[in-house]
Amino acid sequence: MAAFKQFNAPDIIVSPLEVNKSFTFSGDSELSASNVDVNRFLGVNTNFTASNNQATGFNSGSLILSQSTVYDNIKQLYYSNYITSSFGDNAVTASVLLGSDASGDVLVGPNGSNGRYVNYLQSSLTQSRYFPTGSNEEILVISVPSKLYGDYIQPHSFVLEINEDGQDVELDIGPITDDGEGNLISASINVGQIFYPHGIAVLTQQEWTDNSLQPSDFYSGENYIVSFSSSYTIYETQYKCSITEEEYNYTLNPSIISGSSTGSAYYDYATGSYFSPYITTVGLYNDDYELLAIGKLAQPLLSSRTTDTNILVNIDR
């Protein structure tokens, strides 16, 4: 009888499992806590000079950026295709119309850089995005660290609101929520975008509704509330330990050996033809016979002499 048995490929199954966790942080103290660190950055469309550009980055100890740097970075990453059109600039489709010779060739169609950027679309639907380009217009960036959102923020889970004495300050617009397609909505108005795999939410709308709200109104405040759900994929590996009827029919437990002054011998109960051991533990080893994992059965399992036995060992990683 061999003490070790090799797994075959069909004996190992790896299955993904997506898990979610909800978070709600209220006020600057919770958002800025070291174990949370949900940062907020205010971006402003202004030329960078020491006299007219302020630092931004709400959490102490975090990377501090200039307001113009935040504005320019967000514009380049997420809105560079949406500067001249809310539904996206035209793609580059220029082609050459051949003439009788090289001097007669004509370039037809746009040949600029518009339409060449990724911009991380969050939906297969046609998406409308607005980005302010006026002087001193502003955006707000909410950055959730990956330690909280995992693989991505769960669509339909993001909520941003300002409360005062437990009530919404702007009762006629309600909270800002995501629509599951990457848009942030307030009272049916698209006020920005959320990029689920990056943990980034951006408010871009200027002075929407009669309340004249601007992104800076959501920059800080003790009654500031952010809620979202994380999504993280763990992998469960299942090992099928198959024991045929003629395998593992004798025990390796040293307790069956009786020690005496004349030597060692097996106890009589272990020498009978009907003796079958009980299985209590399964060990998983690597190719160098190093023990990697131990599986304990809930109760001892009698080794069968007439049928095959399968023991399933599940490991999450």
Side-chain angles (χ1 to χ4, degrees):
M1 180 195 70
F4 299 94
K5 186 172 182 180
Q6 184 73 37
F7 284 111
N8 296 317
D11 297 330
I12 303 175
I13 301 175
V14 180
S15 303
L17 174 65
E18 184 177 294
V19 294
N20 307 111
K21 181 177 176 63
S22 298
F23 296 92
T24 298
F25 302 109
S26 178
D28 294 337
S29 57
E30 290 188 8
L31 289 164
S32 303
S34 59
N35 62 331
V36 177
D37 196 28
V38 175
N39 213 329
R40 287 148 283 167
F41 300 94
L42 188 63
V44 180
N45 183 22
T46 179
N47 294 327
F48 176 76
T49 64
S51 61
N52 69 355
N53 207 301
Q54 300 180 18
T56 183
F58 200 81
N59 295 352
S60 60
S62 299
L63 176 65
I64 303 300
L65 303 172
S66 71
Q67 293 177 354
S68 64
T69 298
V70 172
Y71 177 90
D72 291 339
N73 286 348
I74 294 299
K75 176 182 177 182
Q76 175 65 26
L77 281 173
Y78 302 120
Y79 295 92
S80 52
N81 285 349
Y82 294 84
I83 303 304
T84 62
S85 172
S86 62
F87 289 99
D89 298 328
N90 292 327
V92 177
T93 57
S95 58
V96 176
L97 180 62
L98 298 177
S100 58
D101 53 40
S103 63
D105 294 347
V106 178
L107 188 65
V108 178
N111 61 346
S113 61
N114 293 339
R116 291 183 176 178
Y117 302 103
V118 175
N119 284 169
Y120 304 101
L121 297 178
Q122 300 301 296
S123 172
S124 58
L125 301 177
T126 300
Q127 194 168 37
S128 174
R129 294 183 183 181
Y130 165 77
F131 192 79
T133 57
S135 177
N136 292 320
E137 288 191 317
E138 57 191 33
I139 62 172
L140 177 73
V141 180
I142 300 172
S143 177
V144 180
S146 59
K147 65 183 179 182
L148 294 182
Y149 70 78
D151 295 329
Y152 58 89
I153 293 177
Q154 191 75 16
H156 293 291
S157 71
F158 185 85
V159 180
L160 170 63
E161 56 186 321
I162 296 179
N163 280 1
E164 182 177 39
D165 298 328
Q167 301 295 323
D168 287 66
V169 170
E170 311 297 346
L171 292 175
D172 57 336
I173 68 165
I176 298 173
T177 60
D178 85 272
D179 65 353
E181 302 290 344
N183 299 304
L184 295 177
I185 305 298
S186 173
S188 301
I189 298 175
N190 188 333
V191 298
Q193 276 71 45
I194 181 170
F195 304 92
Y196 305 111
H198 300 172
I200 296 289
V202 184
L203 294 183
T204 60
Q205 189 66 43
Q206 310 292 299
E207 299 186 355
W208 70 89
T209 74
D210 295 335
N211 303 289
S212 298
L213 289 176
Q214 298 190 51
S216 56
D217 294 319
F218 296 87
Y219 181 54
S220 64
E222 196 54 44
N223 296 316
Y224 186 97
I225 300 175
V226 174
S227 302
F228 60 89
S229 293
S230 66
S231 182
Y232 185 70
T233 301
I234 62 175
Y235 293 89
E236 181 183 75
T237 304
Q238 183 180 88
Y239 298 89
K240 186 175 73 171
C241 305
S242 299
I243 304 171
T244 60
E245 59 186 46
E246 70 275 5
E247 293 179 318
Y248 294 92
N249 286 325
Y250 203 73
T251 182
L252 298 177
N253 194 324
S255 63
I256 66 169
I257 299 177
S258 172
S260 64
S261 59
T262 59
S264 299
Y266 290 104
Y267 284 110
D268 291 340
Y269 70 82
T271 60
S273 58
Y274 293 102
F275 172 76
S276 291
Y278 282 82
I279 301 170
T280 60
T281 306
V282 176
L284 302 182
Y285 294 78
N286 62 15
D287 293 337
D288 296 325
Y289 299 100
E290 296 172 331
L291 182 62
L292 302 179
I294 296 177
K296 295 283 188 178
L297 276 68
Q299 60 185 26
L301 175 66
L302 181 64
S303 178
S304 175
R305 290 181 176 272
T306 58
T307 60
D308 295 344
T309 302
N310 293 320
I311 301 175
L312 302 180
V313 179
N314 296 325
I315 300 177
D316 293 336
R317 59 180 175 85

